[in-house]
């Protein structure tokens, strides 16, 4: 039977009930119950709430919002859901660290991470560690081991696309009312903070976030959005200087608003009282030192910047004293 003929049959039943004939009480009860169910169904599945019919589909249907100034925000997060399994440590087998493989729910997928905890350190401070583009959680264990020797636990993520971004594709998703991957990457960092805080070995009142390169960009945004983070350290990173563009000269205002939303420079004013620390080489081979200086100049106190001289991109051994000094101040 087609849906059309079924609808006609339903109309005939309605006419029967409106004819004035006396209806048995059980039938009245059943009819009333069905009307309630239909009413609830109509509220839940009202087409006016769908993406295609909403006057502002992005903000009504997704777990994030974007202000007119391009500031991203998320709905309140639920309690973290994760699984943890202790594994052997092939990255630093001579150290007594505890290493766990963590899988936690974030948005539309499970994120894999490595939790490294210094042995015999009760209630240890924790750091969410975001690698640079193309670097896995395993590839970031060198820095994680360094941080463990300083007395800090780390939760190192496998970022989506291994930290690589496609701004044009994300803009297409944004225009379509879908969630840009970069928004998901920020949300992953926020959920990682929840997961790290939930570990029994971690002092949840002493948390920070650290990122290298692209990871540093997401770390700055996440720190601005999460007040439990005491500070953010960005190594070999910078903003995009989107604010230097005159909004009056922009033909596509929505694209401009999206670009603002993924630029860490947009969030710098929201960082305090969390501390911003930047470390950058004068001879960085990927992100210029000049760009890093622009971001640092835009930031408000408390902040600090340290410079290295190596011709490289990312963490270097010469940064270790600065890193140890700043973490002690942030997580004291």
């Amino acid at each position: 039977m087609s849906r059309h003929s079924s609808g006609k049959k339903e109309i005939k039943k309605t006419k029967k009930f409106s004819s004035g004939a006396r209806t048995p009480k059980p039938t009245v009860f059943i009819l009333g119950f069905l009307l309630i169910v239909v009413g609830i169904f109509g509220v839940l599945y009202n087409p006016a709430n769908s993406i295609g019919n909403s006057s502002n589909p992005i903000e009504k249907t997704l777990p994030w919002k974007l202000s007119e100034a391009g500031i991203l925000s998320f709905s309140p997060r639920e309690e973290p859901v994760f699984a943890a399994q202790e594994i052997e440590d092939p990255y630093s087998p001579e150290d007594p660290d505890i290493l766990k493989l963590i899988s936690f729910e974030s948005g539309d997928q499970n994120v894999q991470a490595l939790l490294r905890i210094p042995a015999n350190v009760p209630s240890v401070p924790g750091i969410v560690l975001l690698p640079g583009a193309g670097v896995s959680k395993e590839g970031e264990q060198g820095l994680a081991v360094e941080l463990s020797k300083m007395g800090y636990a780390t939760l190192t993520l496998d970022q989506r696309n291994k930290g690589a971004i496609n701004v044009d594709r994300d803009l297409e998703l944004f225009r379509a009312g879908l969630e840009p991957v970069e928004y998901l990457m920020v949300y992953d960092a926020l959920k990682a903070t929840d997961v790290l805080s939930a570990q029994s070995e971690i002092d949840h009142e002493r948390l920070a976030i650290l990122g290298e390169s692209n990871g540093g960009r997401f770390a700055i945004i996440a720190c601005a959005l999460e007040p439990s983070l005491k500070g953010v350290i960005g190594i070999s990173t910078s903003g995009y200087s989107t604010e230097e563009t005159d909004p009056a000269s922009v033909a596509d205002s929505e694209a401009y608003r999206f670009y603002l939303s993924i630029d860490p420079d947009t969030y710098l004013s929201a960082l305090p009282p969390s501390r911003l620390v930047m470390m950058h080489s004068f001879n960085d081979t990927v992100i210029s030192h000049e760009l890093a200086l622009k971001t640092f100049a835009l930031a408000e106190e408390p902040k600090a910047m340290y410079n290295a001289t190596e011709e490289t991109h990312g963490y270097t051994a010469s940064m270790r004293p600065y890193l140890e000094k700043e973490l002690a101040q942030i997580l004291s």
Side-chain angles (χ1 to χ4, degrees), residues 235-277:
I235 296 175
S236 298
T237 195
S238 74
Y240 298 121
S241 300
T242 308
E243 81 290 338
E244 293 183 357
T245 302
D246 181 6
S249 67
V250 175
D252 189 338
S253 60
E254 278 303 285
Y256 178 67
R257 194 162 69 111
F258 169 72
Y259 293 141
L260 283 172
S261 75
I262 59 173
D263 187 343
D265 289 350
T266 305
Y267 299 83
L268 293 173
S269 62
L271 278 178
S274 298
R275 184 173 178 83
L276 169 68
V277 177

Side-chain angles (χ1 to χ4, degrees), residues 126-128 196 206-210 229-232 327 330-331:
I127 300 169
V128 174
L196 184 59
R206 292 193 290 166
L207 300 176
I209 188 166
L210 188 158
L229 292 167
K230 303 301 183 183
V232 53
L327 283 173
I330 291 170
L331 297 174

Side-chain angles (χ1 to χ4, degrees), residues 165-217:
I165 60 175
N166 185 333
V167 177
D168 292 337
R169 176 57 178 157
D170 274 347
L171 178 57
E172 290 177 9
L173 292 169
F174 176 78
R175 291 190 192 280
L178 302 174
E179 194 155 21
V181 177
E182 290 185 66
Y183 290 6
L184 291 168
M185 292 163 83
V186 173
Y187 192 74
D188 290 347
L190 295 173
K191 290 296 290 186
T193 303
D194 299 337
V195 172
L196 184 59
S197 178
Q199 306 304 311
S200 60
E201 304 94 336
I202 304 300
D203 181 350
H204 68 271
E205 293 186 355
R206 292 193 290 166
L207 300 176
I209 188 166
L210 188 158
E212 294 195 71
S213 194
N214 265 355
R217 288 168 171 150

Side-chain angles (χ1 to χ4, degrees), residues 49-128:
N49 292 328
S50 68
I51 291 177
N53 290 283
S54 172
S55 60
N56 196 342
I58 294 174
E59 296 188 357
K60 282 192 177 181
T61 59
L62 293 172
W64 51 268
K65 292 183 180 180
L66 201 60
S67 72
E68 288 302 316
I71 300 291
L72 184 65
S73 62
F74 293 95
S75 303
R77 302 188 299 276
E78 297 180 355
E79 290 294 315
V81 177
F82 62 90
Q85 177 185 3
E86 189 168 338
I87 60 175
E88 292 186 7
D89 184 2
Y91 315 104
S92 185
E94 69 281 2
D95 291 321
D97 291 348
I98 299 168
L99 191 65
K100 296 181 182 181
L101 179 63
I102 304 284
S103 177
F104 65 89
E105 294 182 7
S106 178
D108 61 346
Q109 74 176 43
N110 284 336
V111 176
Q112 304 299 309
L114 286 173
L115 173 64
R116 179 175 293 276
I117 305 171
N120 305 316
V121 181
S123 194
V124 60
I127 300 169
V128 174

